[in-house]
Amino acid sequence: IKRGAAWSAARCAWEQGLRPLALALQTRSAELSSETGRDDATIVADIDAVFEAGAATLAAGPIDDRVLKPGHETIEKTWFRVIHRELMAAATRAHESSDLAAARRALGLFQLIRDRLQDRNTPGIAIVEAQLGGDPNKLDPAVVLREIDTALVKRARKYCSHALDTKLKGAEALTSVTEGLAYTRILLPGMRAAIRDPAFDPEAHLATWSQFAEAAEQADDPEELKKLSAELVQWNCAYQQTLGIRECSSTTDEVAKPIKP
């Protein structure tokens, strides 16, 4: 009963408060002619489907954790994706139009994902807040994106190989990979723009995540699991390199750079 009530409450919050923002993002994405436009073109339908699947398993019983636990991660991290996109859109608008209100909106949105930077890019928190809280004429959206994505790519890195842990089985393994995929979807526009290796195919990368999820849940082919994991690690680390992260990591916090006199 408690899980059902929590799911219903989350769905209500989505419908009443969050879905309109995601719908606006989806509409803008569908109108883009570039490849990036595809990244968020179905974001609302995707979340609606997750809520529907969760409600169905709760109603049918017994509860299937292979639906609810991965669903929880998809919903939460997709909400982070909406915030990420809206924040960067506002920051870009502030930069291009010297729009103080847009800069402050971006700052407010940042507070919703600020904790994602803690312990991964802790010094980046102050950098982003200074960028968004200062003079919009001096705001550099590329700096904001780098500091945020530096933290998120490290969080995604964990789940590129977490499912190799033999203690993870069934729903737990599937949930781990689902979380990594959801984080990667946040990062995908940055990866598209930054990774110059012609071998990097964003759609193929997402497909590898899906294959990894299936292999992790079934846990019947350790060698295939390792192969898929290695592919995910390769491109996650490639993006880390473009962001200037010295050593590809999932847990190492960034060190504050000395202030030049």
Side-chain angles (χ1 to χ4, degrees), residues 205-219:
H205 186 55
L206 294 182
T208 301
W209 273 105
S210 297
Q211 294 163 18
F212 190 48
E214 182 178 352
E217 184 182 11
Q218 294 177 354

Side-chain angles (χ1 to χ4, degrees), residues 31-177:
E31 293 171 351
L32 293 175
S33 58
S34 66
E35 286 187 333
T36 303
R38 297 202 301 266
D39 294 338
D40 305 313
T42 62
I43 193 168
V44 173
D46 294 344
I47 295 304
D48 284 345
V50 172
F51 273 118
E52 286 288 347
T57 192
L58 285 163
I63 294 173
D64 188 349
D65 279 336
R66 293 174 302 174
V67 174
L68 284 190
K69 288 186 175 182
H72 169 86
E73 297 301 338
T74 298
I75 290 165
E76 181 180 60
K77 274 60 183 188
T78 304
W79 173 233
F80 291 161
R81 176 154 52 115
V82 174
I83 295 168
H84 183 280
R85 302 292 191 264
E86 293 297 299
L87 187 164
M88 289 310 307
T92 300
R93 187 164 62 253
H95 168 73
E96 293 176 347
S97 306
S98 300
D99 188 335
L100 183 61
R104 297 304 181 263
R105 181 173 189 271
L107 179 60
L109 288 165
F110 176 65
Q111 301 311 310
L112 299 175
I113 57 170
R114 185 181 188 274
D115 68 315
R116 299 294 90 189
L117 277 67
Q118 188 68 42
D119 300 325
R120 299 301 189 282
N121 185 20
T122 304
I125 295 173
I127 295 172
V128 173
E129 291 181 337
Q131 284 278 326
L132 302 179
D135 182 350
N137 291 300
K138 299 178 180 179
L139 194 165
D140 186 344
V143 171
V144 174
L145 179 66
R146 181 206 174 273
E147 298 302 329
I148 294 174
D149 278 14
T150 291
L152 298 183
V153 74
K154 291 182 181 182
R155 292 185 178 276
R157 168 62 187 86
K158 171 184 176 181
Y159 302 106
C160 293
S161 54
H162 190 220
L164 298 181
D165 185 340
T166 56
K167 294 179 182 178
L168 291 180
K169 303 291 184 182
E172 296 300 328
L174 179 59
T175 301
S176 170
V177 181

Side-chain angles (χ1 to χ4, degrees), residues 14 18-27 40 43-44 47 79 82:
W14 162 250
L18 310 180
R19 194 175 187 275
L21 280 178
L23 185 60
L25 171 61
Q26 178 175 291
T27 300
D40 305 313
I43 193 168
V44 173
I47 295 304
W79 173 233
V82 174

